[in-house]
Amino acid sequence: ILGKCLITAYTAARTRKFIADGDAIKAVCADPGVIPGSQMWDNQTPVIRFLARYVFGCLTKSPAQGAATAARAACEDFALLKPGGYYADGKLGKHPRPDLETEEAAQKLQELVDRVLPPPVRSTLEPAAAGP
């Protein structure tokens, strides 16, 4: 859950930066879901990999199914794309933590992102300097 919170906070920060800079870009999260056999599972124990593949297989997705969400978000009509939106299962979904959608919660998450992310990544979130 922490990973989802951080990536959605980063996406929200990118969205605010794009808006502040006047860019016609929308940042969104595209959650591929759980895909057994993907690199995410390389560091897991054999027991966890077995459980994900065979016991909870009905909750997992194929690589193609996981990619469908990112493809859908990438090909969505720009006018319909929700800035900072969280896309799952091929469509705009509910935020993984709806309680974090308030402005106060977003600010607290932003402070956490500022502490966790290295300076080169943080610098991508700062609005562009005004021109001469």
Side-chain angles (χ1 to χ4, degrees):
I1 297 281
L2 180 60
K4 283 185 181 181
C5 289
L6 288 174
I7 196 65
T8 53
Y10 180 79
T11 302
R14 289 296 301 178
T15 297
R16 287 191 298 274
K17 179 189 182 315
F18 292 143
I19 291 169
D21 292 348
D23 295 331
I25 299 172
K26 296 180 182 179
V28 299
C29 291
D31 185 351
V34 177
I35 304 170
S38 65
Q39 285 183 323
M40 142 180 174
W41 298 98
D42 289 350
N43 296 325
Q44 300 297 326
T45 66
V47 172
I48 297 295
R49 289 196 304 258
F50 174 83
L51 289 171
R53 185 176 295 271
Y54 300 108
V55 176
F56 300 109
C58 63
L59 303 174
T60 63
K61 298 179 181 180
S62 70
Q65 289 170 321
T69 297
R72 171 74 190 270
C75 297
E76 181 71 270
D77 183 321
F78 189 78
L80 300 176
L81 198 62
K82 179 182 176 187
Y86 180 84
Y87 287 76
D89 298 321
K91 61 186 181 294
L92 181 62
K94 292 183 179 180
H95 191 282
R97 292 282 310 271
D99 57 313
L100 296 177
E101 289 189 294
T102 67
E103 191 59 39
E104 180 183 351
Q107 182 59 39
K108 287 180 181 178
L109 263 178
Q110 185 60 49
E111 291 168 7
L112 177 61
V113 167
D114 289 343
R115 287 194 308 264
V116 173
L117 291 178
V121 176
R122 280 198 315 261
S123 68
T124 67
L125 302 175
E126 297 168 0

